[in-house]
Amino acid sequence: MSETGLTEITESIKKIIRDVPDFPKKGIIFKDITPLLADHAMFGKMIKLMAEPYRNRGITKVLGIEARGFLLAAPIAMELKAGLVPVRKTGKLPYKTVSASYALEYGRDTLQIHEDAVTKDEKVLIVDDVLATGGTASAVCELVEKLGGKVAAIAMLIELEFLKGRAKLAGREINSLIKY
Ligand code: AMP
């Protein structure tokens, strides 16, 4: 695709994403992707663009981070002919799990993955909707590596550059379609 064509599509995707001020708390501008998900044509284009850099890279698992990450990871996994793996908040997965904790603004949170979801040396793509401080994605990298997997890359729809998430993920390949 030409550079101009790409910019046109990312600009239209940007226009559909809705800013919701002061959600879930004062001072946060929430990037609401539900209007994008509801638009069949734009959603399809977005999935193809997000999957593009990873074709023929030998990725065998795509990890989606609860909950909006699931909605993007599933169609990307289909595009890449890879398996889909959910990474969930603590206590949600039924089988044996491994865990990683990460810092929130106040306190900590824990994410879990099934212990057999990724095998040794398997190449994994991590997918979520928004890269903010990078704490969540970094905990997911830890989960993959605890299981002996290799993080091939991290694919985000949106990157909030001013929060410097990339610094927390130094040395990792990160692609984001839309930057603020
Ligand atoms: P972080 O760990 O700070 O990178 O935060 C990433 C997680 O929080 C992702 O799962 C996002 O879905 C969510 N998130 C953070 N900031 C926003 C925002 N401004 N709008 C929507 N979701 C956000």
Side-chain angles (χ1 to χ4, degrees), residues 97-156:
T97 56
V98 294
S99 307
S101 295
Y102 60 103
L104 296 173
E105 202 177 340
Y106 301 102
R108 295 184 76 72
D109 213 344
T110 301
L111 289 172
Q112 294 185 320
I113 190 171
H114 274 153
E115 66 171 24
D116 60 355
V118 171
T119 53
K120 197 172 173 323
D121 293 331
E122 193 165 21
K123 281 193 193 166
V124 171
L125 175 68
I126 296 171
V127 173
D128 204 359
D129 64 337
V130 177
L131 175 64
T133 66
T136 309
S138 139
V140 178
C141 292
E142 191 185 321
L143 289 177
V144 172
E145 287 163 359
K146 271 186 182 173
L147 296 178
K150 303 262 186 259
V151 177
I154 300 166
M156 295 280 170

Side-chain angles (χ1 to χ4, degrees), residues 10 13-14 56 60 82 88 97 104 129 156 160 171 178:
T10 50
I13 293 174
K14 212 169 185 173
N56 309 312
T60 48
R88 302 212 59 180
T97 56
L104 296 173
D129 64 337
M156 295 280 170
L160 304 177
I178 291 161

